[in-house]
Amino acid sequence: MNNADSPNEPRPTRKVTAAMVAAHAGVSTATVSLVANGKSAGRVSKRNEERVREAIRELGYYVDSIGSSLARGVSSLVILVAPDISNPFFAKLIAGVRGVLGEDYQLLLSVTDAGLSPSATEIRRLLGLRPAGLLVHAPTPLFLSELSSPLPLIALDAPDAPENIPSVNFDVLQGAHDVAAHLAAQGHRRVGYLDATTGTATLRMRREAFLSAAAQLGMQVPAVAVSSSTIEMGDAAATFAAHWEEWKESGITALACATDTHAYGVLQAASTTGVQIPQDLAVTGFDDLPFSTASHPSLTSVRLDAHSVGVQAAQALRQLIDGTPLKESKLQLSSQLIVRASSGGTQ
Amino acid sequence: MNNADSPNEPRPTRKVTAAMVAAHAGVSTATVSLVANGKSAGRVSKRNEERVREAIRELGYYVDSIGSSLARGVSSLVILVAPDISNPFFAKLIAGVRGVLGEDYQLLLSVTDAGLSPSATEIRRLLGLRPAGLLVHAPTPLFLSELSSPLPLIALDAPDAPENIPSVNFDVLQGAHDVAAHLAAQGHRRVGYLDATTGTATLRMRREAFLSAAAQLGMQVPAVAVSSSTIEMGDAAATFAAHWEEWKESGITALACATDTHAYGVLQAASTTGVQIPQDLAVTGFDDLPFSTASHPSLTSVRLDAHSVGVQAAQALRQLIDGTPLKESKLQLSSQLIVRASSGGTQ
DNA sequence: CTGAAAGCGCTTACAG
DNA sequence: CTGAAAGCGCTTACAG
């Protein structure tokens, strides 16, 4: 019955277009576009500007990003590509990114399968979105090469990123070195290392830096006491259980883990098998996840400032998008050793 | 000097369009579109189909999703709107969703500020992307009303979603009831509850269900022993520390927590203040995060099957997108009590 | 300051 | 089976 437009209710049924706003305000769509995008200064008369704003309000108009993206050749999307967002690390990083991006860009996350870079198909689909920029966590060389088109991109936590790819990294070298120095200072002479099976550059550097620092500090690392597991507590626990006897025989008194998650698994397995931490074995993690204060014993770890990484990466990306050349294409944020009970430090 | 096209190298410089493919294959863009979208069956000759495929391969063409979305009025994006993706829960849920969506839709996450639903502006921007469907975690009524346009949407973990919004939920009532029953069976007569300050429906139901079950089972819940904190370990620990003396005086022997994270904070604070868990106080969580096997003591909790929720939600969403009416608009997945040491159950 | 018009890349009736 | 053409909603030279 009542099919007539009711003047007061914006009808949500039909999409409101710039043309409708233009008609309503008695101007052209060009003018609507200018006003809606805040580009009206000095190009639209006060009177028309006011009319358009009014019409936008009344009709509930908003710029359609699809149409806009097509016309401009690029969207206002910033896509964060990350493998394992369940890491609390990412929540902080994202908060940092969002703060910098503000209303200007829209942040969306693309989650890849566990520990993997996106497939070629996924990359195409991402590029099909015409993002204004990409933030990529620990990209593989393959990923970077398949990207081909040169859009603004910042790599995160990617110490191996090629020279021409700007990246924001943690100083894991320092962190790994600090762990080794701490263990040496506690009097350990033979130590083990529990690595992650996923071979990202960060994790490789953590191991290499630890092993070389250990050697420099005069600590032995028996080959049998270097092992690895996936970044899952259960898997790390099983690995510990399977290897503890031979590790013990090898004479190690401390075990450095590639991540806190690994260390949690070790603590758990140690507790069920009656291995005393830190008396029988000192244990350290890396990442300083929130749980590390609650584990038993609390876990010595290396703290990384995820929020700062997010902020710095987003700032750099914005510069790239704006066409400003970056002063430094490689940023490095310091890491900090947090000593807790698991390494026989303070409680 | 060399500005001529080299025939073998696809030039990444210029975007490959359907028109270029059409020219290359000697057909119209309509034909290219048909082939590229797999809609060629019975509409394109074998010969042309082959030519187009060849051209697509040679030029490295892929359908531009912006152009396609504009023409079709909808994109192939499925957007998952979630507040706190650092919950390990989400990684599993996402894996479930991705499996069901496959190559047909592109999953992207939109992260809102901690514990908040997206703002009206953010919702507009989301809708501006013309998503094929939305998956929304614990949407507020406000969010749902601001959405206005009726696009395919499934609410997750939203027991309070209105009748007309399909949702996939956990049976938190059962879970909360099981916790209460377990504590009653252990002989507890006076118990406390540590709630979350964020007032999502799930959390409200957890509390209400627990309190009512406790009452039914003849357990007292002193008013002084019902408190709340944010979903952060540190905050929960501080809350415990601040209240423990009066809780003790109130005579409670068990504390049910709204989430595992709360419980971790309690365990931590208890350990530093010398409160024995479970001897002095039995503690339970909710969510069964991975760390709950590694905490000290290990944490009794309620396991929720995040992967299944992802699968079911994605399946329901696909039905909605396809226009198939849902058989049941409310799905509920069972939850399961996992008894561990913190409640004096098994080790 | 303003609007008509071209164009972004695609899809889809439509006519043949 | 095929292609010319309209149209999706917007932006941006361009001419006035």
Side-chain angles (χ1 to χ4, degrees):
Chain A
M1 285 284 140
N2 184 0
N3 277 335
D5 277 303
S6 62
N8 296 338
E9 293 173 7
R11 306 196 326 170
T13 342
R14 201 73 207 92
K15 182 160 177 45
V16 179
T17 67
M20 292 164 70
V21 174
H24 198 88
V27 300
S28 71
T29 59
T31 303
V32 172
S33 176
L34 257 15
V35 173
N37 289 297
K39 296 180 182 172
S40 54
R43 318 231 256 136
V44 177
S45 66
K46 268 242 151 63
R47 181 164 158 283
N48 274 349
E49 164 136 22
E50 194 41 58
R51 284 180 158 210
V52 172
R53 289 202 187 290
E54 173 96 12
I56 287 178
R57 219 174 303 124
E58 265 179 43
L59 300 180
Y61 171 75
Y62 57 96
V63 177
D64 181 88
S65 78
I66 299 285
S68 173
S69 300
L70 186 57
R72 291 188 307 148
V74 63
S75 72
S76 58
L77 245 37
V78 166
I79 302 183
L80 169 59
V81 181
D84 173 24
I85 52 124
S86 76
N87 194 320
F89 175 86
F90 276 106
K92 290 191 199 152
L93 188 149
I94 289 166
V97 171
R98 280 170 59 87
V100 174
L101 258 29
E103 299 261 293
D104 303 334
Y105 297 94
Q106 187 175 6
L107 178 68
L108 250 27
L109 314 205
S110 175
V111 181
T112 59
D113 278 322
L116 296 176
S117 264
S119 67
T121 313
E122 286 178 305
I123 293 176
R124 283 192 171 174
R125 301 190 80 163
L126 286 181
L127 296 184
L129 259 18
R130 309 261 195 109
L134 247 41
L135 255 19
V136 191
H137 187 259
T140 59
L142 211 169
F143 174 90
L144 294 174
S145 73
E146 287 202 319
L147 221 48
S148 69
S149 62
L151 88 173
L153 178 151
I154 303 285
L156 308 172
D157 210 4
D160 63 338
E163 210 38 63
N164 60 327
I165 304 283
S167 63
V168 181
N169 305 120
F170 293 114
D171 191 353
V172 291
L173 258 55
Q174 183 65 47
H177 183 274
D178 288 352
V179 169
H182 168 63
L183 292 177
Q186 298 280 318
H188 297 283
R189 305 267 63 101
R190 290 176 86 79
V191 299
Y193 191 80
L194 179 54
D195 200 3
T197 42
T198 28
T200 59
T202 310
L203 292 166
R204 194 168 58 244
M205 290 187 68
R206 291 178 186 189
R207 183 190 65 238
E208 288 171 1
F210 176 80
L211 294 180
S212 94
Q216 269 181 34
L217 292 157
M219 297 192 293
Q220 305 283 320
V221 185
V224 70
V226 176
S227 190
S228 66
S229 83
T230 66
I231 309 186
E232 264 183 65
M233 273 182 43
D235 199 19
T239 303
F240 175 82
H243 290 281
W244 172 238
E245 279 308 323
E246 58 178 350
W247 288 355
K248 195 174 167 183
E249 275 170 32
S250 78
I252 65 167
T253 56
L255 178 70
C257 299
T259 75
D260 277 13
T261 303
H262 285 92
Y264 299 151
V266 169
L267 295 185
Q268 185 197 0
S271 126
T272 60
T273 48
V275 178
Q276 301 282 318
I277 310 291
Q279 297 84 342
D280 299 340
L281 184 74
V283 174
T284 63
F286 209 112
D287 285 339
D288 195 33
L289 303 185
F291 298 138
S292 293
T293 63
S295 62
H296 183 76
S298 61
L299 184 67
T300 292
S301 191
V302 176
R303 179 173 298 170
L304 310 175
D305 187 352
H307 188 270
S308 291
V309 166
V311 169
Q312 306 259 18
Q315 284 173 343
L317 187 65
R318 289 195 69 143
Q319 282 192 42
L320 247 34
I321 293 173
D322 296 344
T324 319
L326 297 179
K327 286 214 196 71
E328 331 198 34
S329 98
K330 305 282 175 191
L331 288 174
Q332 197 161 61
L333 301 184
S334 64
S335 52
Q336 188 193 358
L337 180 71
I338 309 289
V339 175
R340 298 201 184 87
S342 68
S343 62
T346 59
Q347 168 58 274
Chain B
M1 285 287 139
N2 185 0
N3 277 334
D5 277 304
S6 62
N8 296 338
E9 292 174 7
R11 307 196 326 172
T13 342
R14 200 74 206 94
K15 182 161 178 44
V16 180
T17 69
M20 292 164 69
V21 175
H24 198 87
V27 300
S28 71
T29 59
T31 302
V32 172
S33 176
L34 256 16
V35 173
N37 289 297
K39 297 181 182 171
S40 54
R43 318 230 256 137
V44 176
S45 67
K46 268 241 151 64
R47 180 163 159 284
N48 274 351
E49 164 135 21
E50 194 39 59
R51 284 180 158 211
V52 171
R53 288 203 190 289
E54 171 96 12
I56 286 178
R57 219 174 303 125
E58 263 179 44
L59 300 179
Y61 171 74
Y62 57 96
V63 177
D64 181 87
S65 77
I66 299 284
S68 172
S69 301
L70 186 57
R72 292 188 307 148
V74 64
S75 72
S76 58
L77 245 37
V78 165
I79 303 184
L80 168 59
V81 181
D84 173 24
I85 50 125
S86 76
N87 195 320
F89 176 86
F90 276 106
K92 290 190 199 152
L93 188 148
I94 289 166
V97 171
R98 281 170 59 89
V100 174
L101 258 30
E103 297 261 294
D104 304 334
Y105 296 95
Q106 188 175 6
L107 179 68
L108 250 26
L109 314 204
S110 174
V111 181
T112 59
D113 278 322
L116 297 176
S117 263
S119 68
T121 313
E122 286 178 304
I123 293 177
R124 284 192 170 174
R125 301 190 79 164
L126 248 32
L127 297 183
L129 260 17
R130 310 261 197 110
L134 246 41
L135 255 20
V136 191
H137 187 258
T140 58
L142 210 167
F143 174 89
L144 294 174
S145 74
E146 286 202 320
L147 221 47
S148 70
S149 62
L151 88 171
L153 179 151
I154 304 284
L156 309 172
D157 209 4
D160 63 337
E163 210 38 64
N164 60 327
I165 304 283
S167 63
V168 181
N169 305 121
F170 293 114
D171 191 354
V172 292
L173 259 53
Q174 183 64 48
H177 182 275
D178 289 351
V179 169
H182 169 63
L183 292 178
Q186 298 279 318
H188 297 283
R189 305 268 62 100
R190 291 177 84 79
V191 299
Y193 192 80
L194 180 55
D195 200 5
T197 41
T198 26
T200 60
T202 309
L203 293 166
R204 196 169 56 245
M205 291 187 69
R206 291 178 186 188
R207 183 190 65 236
E208 288 170 2
F210 176 81
L211 294 179
S212 93
Q216 270 182 33
L217 293 158
M219 296 192 294
Q220 305 282 321
V221 184
V224 70
V226 177
S227 190
S228 65
S229 83
T230 65
I231 310 185
E232 264 182 64
M233 273 183 42
D235 199 18
T239 303
F240 175 83
H243 289 282
W244 171 238
E245 279 307 322
E246 57 178 351
W247 288 355
K248 194 174 167 185
E249 276 170 31
S250 77
I252 65 168
T253 57
L255 179 70
C257 298
T259 74
D260 277 13
T261 304
H262 286 92
Y264 300 151
V266 169
L267 296 185
Q268 184 197 2
S271 124
T272 60
T273 48
V275 178
Q276 300 283 316
I277 310 290
Q279 296 84 342
D280 298 341
L281 185 73
V283 174
T284 63
F286 209 113
D287 286 340
D288 195 33
L289 302 186
F291 188 67
S292 293
T293 64
S295 61
H296 184 75
S298 61
L299 184 66
T300 292
S301 190
V302 176
R303 179 173 298 169
L304 310 175
D305 187 353
H307 188 271
S308 291
V309 166
V311 170
Q312 306 258 18
Q315 284 173 343
L317 187 65
R318 289 196 71 143
Q319 283 193 40
L320 248 34
I321 293 174
D322 296 344
T324 319
L326 296 179
K327 286 211 196 74
E328 331 197 35
S329 98
K330 305 284 174 189
L331 288 174
Q332 197 161 62
L333 301 184
S334 63
S335 51
Q336 187 193 358
L337 180 71
I338 308 288
V339 175
R340 297 200 185 88
S342 68
S343 63
T346 59
Q347 167 57 268

